[in-house]
Amino acid sequence: MEKSYKEIMPEITTFIFDVDGVLTNGEVTITTDGELVRNMNTKDGFALKTAVLEGFNVCIISGGNNEGVRTRLNGLGIQDIYLGTHHKIEQFETYINSKNIKPENILYMGDDIPDYLVMKKVGLPSCPKDAVPEIQEISLYVSQKKGGKGCVRDVIEQVLKVQGKWHKNFNAKYD
């Protein structure tokens, strides 16, 4: 019998996220000089920083290649950021092998077909509520939040609460 997402959450040590459609709403604004501008949710950012501070592995694998995204995520303490990755499964395998991470200990959140193969390999495949049907179908958890609108905060907060790590040493870490 397959475990429920709540039964898997205590085993999660690693979060992997896509960017466009997960950390953003999937829309881009194109400036007159051709730059693609994305918006990220600050509550998602707080949750990402909290996961890093609590010792979780946090990784980003995205087909997009915007250095502003890297700068923002680095500022939250995330070091494992792979942009311009069009074969996500290969980058995923390289990452987990380099860190000696078991797939069953990973929560991956994606929203579209490029995430499909990786999501089939992890312990807790998840997606925002506006993910494409194929991704929703294979997700053990579908957030009630849309991409770029708090879905990342949703899954991180749930995992950390289940593990007793949400706001554990809040004052000491956020002074």
Side-chain angles (χ1 to χ4, degrees), residues 28 30 37 51 66 73 80 93 110 121 142 149-151 160 169:
V28 293
I30 305 169
V37 179
N66 182 304
L73 296 171
D80 299 310
E93 295 289 349
K121 293 202 171 255
V142 178
K149 301 294 182 185
C151 63
L160 270 62
N169 295 310

Side-chain angles (χ1 to χ4, degrees), residues 9 15 43 46-48 50-51 150-167:
M9 285 183 169
F15 295 102
K43 290 178 180 74
F46 176 79
L48 287 163
T50 301
C151 63
V152 170
R153 167 76 175 251
D154 175 29
V155 293
I156 291 175
E157 186 174 332
Q158 284 193 61
V159 169
L160 270 62
K161 281 180 175 178
V162 164
Q163 294 186 16
K165 297 177 181 177
W166 185 249
H167 293 301

Side-chain angles (χ1 to χ4, degrees), residues 55-71:
F56 286 82
N57 301 305
V58 179
C59 175
I60 306 299
I61 302 176
S62 176
N65 199 15
N66 182 304
E67 286 304 311
V69 169
R70 184 184 311 277
T71 301

Side-chain angles (χ1 to χ4, degrees), residues 3-61:
K3 290 182 177 182
S4 74
Y5 74 91
K6 287 282 191 186
E7 293 172 309
I8 297 168
M9 285 183 169
E11 302 166 19
I12 298 301
T13 63
T14 303
F15 295 102
I16 302 178
F17 297 101
D18 178 31
V19 174
D20 293 320
V22 174
L23 283 165
T24 76
N25 66 3
E27 296 178 7
V28 293
T29 300
I30 305 169
T31 65
T32 55
D33 63 355
E35 182 181 356
L36 302 179
V37 179
R38 293 163 172 87
N39 292 308
M40 291 186 173
N41 186 301
T42 57
K43 290 178 180 74
D44 285 347
F46 176 79
L48 287 163
K49 182 174 183 171
T50 301
V52 169
L53 290 172
E54 289 297 335
F56 286 82
N57 301 305
V58 179
C59 175
I60 306 299
I61 302 176

Side-chain angles (χ1 to χ4, degrees), residues 117-159:
L117 292 177
V118 176
M119 291 176 70
K120 292 292 284 182
K121 293 202 171 255
V122 301
L124 184 45
S126 59
C127 69
K129 94 180 212 180
D130 56 347
V132 301
E134 296 89 344
I135 296 300
Q136 288 190 30
E137 187 177 294
I138 63 167
S139 292
L140 291 180
Y141 179 72
V142 178
S143 176
Q144 292 306 301
K145 306 280 186 176
K146 291 182 177 181
K149 301 294 182 185
C151 63
V152 170
R153 167 76 175 251
D154 175 29
V155 293
I156 291 175
E157 186 174 332
Q158 284 193 61
V159 169

Side-chain angles (χ1 to χ4, degrees), residues 12 92-93 96 101-107 121-124:
I12 298 301
F92 169 78
E93 295 289 349
I96 67 169
I101 300 168
K102 295 177 182 171
E104 60 265 24
N105 300 125
I106 298 171
L107 180 151
K121 293 202 171 255
V122 301
L124 184 45

